[in-house]
Amino acid sequence: MWRRIAAQAPIGIIEGDKDGIVVFANAAWCTIAGVTPGDVVGRPVPTLVHPDDLPVTTAAWERSISEREPYHHQVRLKRSHGEYRIVIASASPTFDECGNFHGSISSGFDLTDFVAIQSQNDATEGYVRAIMDHTSAAVYLKDHADRFLLVNRHYEKLFPHMKDVCIGTASDR
């Protein structure tokens, strides 16, 4: 029953058996991985993880089994044509009625595009900061509530008494 629900879930879901072999992968997971269920079912789960991420992933998984607790971490997932996607993964060990390790259920959410956008935003912010700090004009930025969000070095030189107190505060009008 859970597989019918998992098959339609918008987040990637994969099930592994006690030997770490994939026995189920939903459509969302296959999209993230760039594979079909036939490409992945029957493969060992570790072959899907970037080699550099494997030691940390394996250690987290072993800890998860021994503590009988799920784990969450960021991992690079290998696509069929060699590209890697950055995924936030959650994995949970499963146990049978007698308490014996049975396998795993894992989910993954693709962060690759978000990480790329964040990287672009960080670079843009760095460029803006460099321009702001090297202009001869005193520059500041305020929000709609008249609170300072940003001041540049020249502003700090002109108003040294404001250096440590102005960000996040409203100016006196």
Side-chain angles (χ1 to χ4, degrees):
M1 174 64 138
W2 75 268
R3 284 187 183 177
R4 284 193 359 210
I5 295 168
Q8 301 304 315
I11 191 164
I13 298 174
I14 189 169
E15 180 184 12
D17 68 12
K18 65 182 169 90
D19 297 318
I21 304 298
V22 176
V23 295
F24 170 82
N26 75 348
W29 194 91
C30 290
T31 298
I32 293 168
V35 297
T36 66
D39 295 332
V40 72
V41 170
R43 283 180 60 190
V45 174
T47 63
L48 310 172
V49 175
H50 190 288
D52 292 345
D53 295 346
L54 200 51
V56 172
T57 301
T58 300
W61 180 239
E62 289 171 356
R63 211 172 26 260
S64 178
I65 293 170
S66 69
E67 296 172 4
R68 295 177 173 253
E69 292 289 329
Y71 75 95
H72 315 282
H73 74 285
Q74 187 172 304
V75 65
R76 287 170 290 178
L77 180 68
K78 186 175 185 178
R79 298 191 87 187
S80 60
H81 58 313
E83 171 197 11
Y84 286 91
R85 302 296 288 176
I86 300 168
V87 176
I88 185 74
S90 297
S92 184
T94 58
F95 300 89
D96 64 19
E97 307 80 40
C98 298
N100 300 313
F101 176 67
H102 181 261
S104 64
I105 301 289
S106 304
S107 63
F109 184 78
D110 191 346
L111 296 175
T112 308
D113 295 338
F114 173 78
V115 170
I117 290 168
Q118 185 64 46
S119 179
Q120 287 175 328
N121 287 346
D122 291 349
T124 300
E125 186 176 314
Y127 300 144
V128 170
R129 175 46 78 182
I131 292 168
M132 295 252 320
D133 283 344
H134 294 92
T135 184
S136 60
V139 180
Y140 61 88
L141 177 65
K142 291 185 179 183
D143 67 10
H144 66 281
D146 202 32
R147 291 182 299 247
F148 285 93
L149 299 175
L150 177 94
V151 298
N152 73 345
R153 288 181 188 161
H154 194 68
Y155 183 93
E156 289 175 353
K157 286 178 187 173
L158 291 174
F159 304 101
H161 63 285
M162 295 292 289
K163 181 178 181 179
D164 296 324
V165 296
C166 68
I167 301 299
T169 61
S171 62
D172 294 330
R173 291 183 178 199

